[in-house]
Amino acid sequence: MSIENSVASGANIQQEVAALIVEALNLDVAPADIQPDEPLYGEGLGLDSIDILEIALVVSKHYGLQLRADSEDNHRIFSTLRTLSDYIVAAKRAG
């Protein structure tokens, strides 16, 4: 995969994930308004731990990923839209 395709797929994944988040949580924000580096949890988008669990469920179903609740990486993975999207892209490549 070329670097250009890799960047494009990452941007597409960000858009998809933002749409999944908005739909799953019934947020009153457009997916395009979720900034890639804005925190998802607490300040920023203002999600709580239950919201993050819901996102994990939707992401794992949609992308066929195994996300573990006890993973030490979860705080990093779910910190921003970009980190979550990067994780999905990397997991899809590895899988």
Side-chain angles (χ1 to χ4, degrees):
M1 175 179 276
S2 73
I3 292 174
E4 292 81 16
N5 287 341
S6 177
V7 170
S9 67
N12 290 339
I13 294 289
Q14 280 185 19
Q15 292 169 359
E16 282 181 13
V17 173
L20 286 173
I21 290 170
V22 169
E23 183 179 332
L25 302 177
N26 198 26
L27 299 177
D28 289 330
V29 63
D33 291 340
I34 299 175
Q35 298 302 310
D37 296 313
E38 178 180 49
L40 295 177
Y41 191 82
E43 292 186 33
L45 199 53
L47 304 182
D48 62 22
S49 58
I50 301 298
D51 295 327
I52 298 297
L53 287 173
E54 189 69 28
I55 292 169
L57 179 63
V58 169
V59 165
S60 62
K61 282 184 179 180
H62 186 82
Y63 294 103
L65 300 178
Q66 187 71 18
L67 295 167
R68 294 177 35 154
D70 61 349
S71 173
E72 293 179 5
D73 292 330
N74 284 343
H75 183 71
R76 178 188 53 79
I77 292 168
F78 291 95
S79 63
T80 68
L81 177 59
R82 184 181 313 278
T83 58
L84 179 54
S85 301
D86 289 348
Y87 175 81
I88 293 166
V89 169
K92 286 176 64 174
R93 284 189 191 137

